[in-house]
Structures are given as C-alpha cells and as structure tokens.
Amino acid sequence: MPGDSLFFHADFRRLWSGDAAAQLGTFVGYTAVPLLAATTLAATPFQMGLLTAAETVAFLLIGLPAGVWVDRMRRRPLMLAADLVRGVLLLSVPVAWWAGVLTLPQLLVVALLTGIATVFFDVAYQSYLPSLVGREHLVEGNTKLQAVQSTSQVAGPSLAGWLVQAAGAANTVLLTGLGYLTSALCLWRIRAPEPAPDRPERARMLPQIGEGLRFVFTDRPLRAIVSCTSTSNLFNGAFTAVEVLFLTRTVGLAPGAVGMMLAAGGAGGVLGALCAGAIIRRIGQIRAIWLVPLLTWPAHLLVPLGAPGWRIALTVTGLAIGGFGIIVYNVSQVSYRQAICPDRLLGRMNASVRFVVWGTLPLGGLLGGALGELIGLRGAVWVALAGEAAGALWVVFSPLRRMRTLPEPVEEKAAV
C-alpha cells in the first residue's frame, strides 16, 4: 500500500464509494417505504410490523447456510450479484406505482426478497474486508465504512422526507434501486485478486454450520457481544415498526419533518464515526465495547417524551446521543470479531452472528406492531427503547470488563 491510510488504497476507495451509494439509497428507502405504506397505502400498526419483519426475516430463514455458501465462494462476485438483485427489486416499486398496480402485498414481497439478497451481501461484505485491507487496517476500514453509513443516515431520511412531499413516496424509492446498481458498478471495478476459498472434499453443510456456531458461542466475550446486539436489535425492530406512525400520528409531523427527525440519529452516528478511532485509541477497543453503550444508549429514553412544541427537542437529543453510541459500539465489536476469527471461518462466524442479531429484528417488528395495537404508539415506543438500552447489560457484566488487549486469532494462537 503506497501510504499508511486506506485513502491511498484504490480498491478500498471503490468499495467505499459503492457503499456510499448503496447506503444513501438504503436510508432513503428506510424512510420512503414506511411513509408509502403508512400514508399512501394506509397501513395499520400491525401491517407496519409485518413490513419491518419482512425486511429481516431472511436472516432467520437462510442466515446459517448462507455463511457456509459464502465460505465456499469468492465474496466480491457474490456481493455484486446481490446488489444487482436488490436494485431490480426496488425499481419495481415505482414501476408498479406508475402502472397503478402497487399494493401492500407487493411491498412485503419486495422487502422479503431484498432481505434475502441482503443476507448474502452482508455476510460476504464483513468477510471480504479483512482480505482486501489486511487485519491491521480493520478499525480504520470499519470506521470509514461506518462514517459513510452514518452520513447516509443523516442525508437519506432528510432527502427522502422532502422528496416524498415533492414527488411522492413511490417515486422516491427509485433512488434506493439506483443506489444498489451504483454499488454493483463500483464492486465490478475492484481489481485486487481474491484468493480462491478452501473447499474441503465432501464437506457437509450441517457440520460446517455447527463449526461456525461453536466458534461464536463457546467464546464468552463474543457470546456477550452477540447477546447484547441481539437484545438491542429485538427492541430496535419494535421501535422501527412504530417509529414513523409515532412521529406522524402522535407527534403530528409532516413527511419532510419526519425525515429530519430520522436524520437526528444519523447526525449522532456521523459524530460517532468521526470520533470512534480516537475513542478506541483513548480508552481501548475492548473497553469501548461495553463502556460506550453503558453511557449513551439510555439517552434513547428521551425519545418517547417528544410532543408538539419544545418537547420535540427531547426526541432529537435522544436519537442523536443513542446514534453516537451505537456507531462507536459497532466499530469496536465488528473489528473485534474480524480480528479474532481465522480467515476460513469468517463467513460462518459472520453468518452465525447475523443469524442471531438480525434474526431478532423481524420478531421485534411483530412485537412493535402488536404493542402499538395493544398499548398505543407512545407506550410501544417506551417499551421498545427501554429494552434496547437494557441490552447493554450483557457486555457490561461480561469478561470484556476485565480484558485489556485484543486476543489473537484463535487458530494462530493455538499454533504457537
């Protein structure tokens, strides 16, 4: 590499650029699709929960075998194919709207199939980065990628909110499809050769899945991280299911203002991504995994205090501080997972983690929809965000509190 920074790594810049396009489109879609369902298609709270569940249920359905397949294949071509599939699926939404045939069932099907493609992309993506940039650049690489995600989390909802008002929700989804197609183009332009994966003869799927699960759940610190993330994601899924309805029907915001509110969490995330490297260097990567959530995630409890007038500032503050803490936590724990896992298990490790931590999201979506029907939108938001903050206790009361240095990859340590 001609310099110490990944800014000088041409192929990482291509990956980074593609990720920027995909993330912007994703966060435009995260705002436009719920607004389309809630306003144009008049979805109920439970139907919004179904939509949230459809987006992530694929991690429960195929998450574990996807890890085996990713470890058997080159990862970049798989990511490219997943981007193309997601782009075409999302472009079908405005096309159906123009033809006058768009329905909520179509949105559910598009969300489900896009989620399947996302399973393969995400597992391959986190497994591809170490081979592209080297383990010594994992924190820097993950920090830059999280910065893109956080910036998109600010720009995407804000842009989506105003575009929905100006051009309609279905037309706004067009940006999401184009973002995925742009990402595919950038991945296609990466020139670094990817080594062929090891393919053990007569390797059976179930034992390989079991090997990935054992790696994750026999390591106590990693098990605590998975428990923390899955608990928080369960309740975050519940919050996501009712968030737009809470902001439009309880707080009374217009679509443009909803976009600005959703961008608040992204603004905190941008700051978190900018500060993550410095925070990790200052307090240590291990300590950042448990201390940052402990100090920041409870701020989410300010969100349900929001109401018309000055109290809307409480919601903005809660989303921003919580977004800051989530990004710093993600940079720390993802880099930890990538650093301790041997290359041959990266796909299965990431799939096992994603199976659990993303598999709770559809359950959370259904939970949020049911809570919204039973106890009202504000009550559902209280329960969801209290549960999300409590997820930090898994890492606070774990061996991570006593650790000071990053472990070596398991197989390398055993070979010494």
Side-chain angles (χ1 to χ4, degrees), residues 9 67 86 124 155 209 243 250-251 274 304 332:
H9 193 302
R86 294 190 293 182
I209 289 175
E243 181 178 20
T250 301
V251 182
L274 293 174
S332 304

Side-chain angles (χ1 to χ4, degrees), residues 231-251:
T231 301
S232 296
N233 280 355
L234 171 69
F235 289 100
N236 180 263
F239 174 60
T240 301
V242 297
E243 181 178 20
V244 169
L245 293 180
F246 172 71
L247 294 174
T248 56
R249 299 180 187 178
T250 301
V251 182

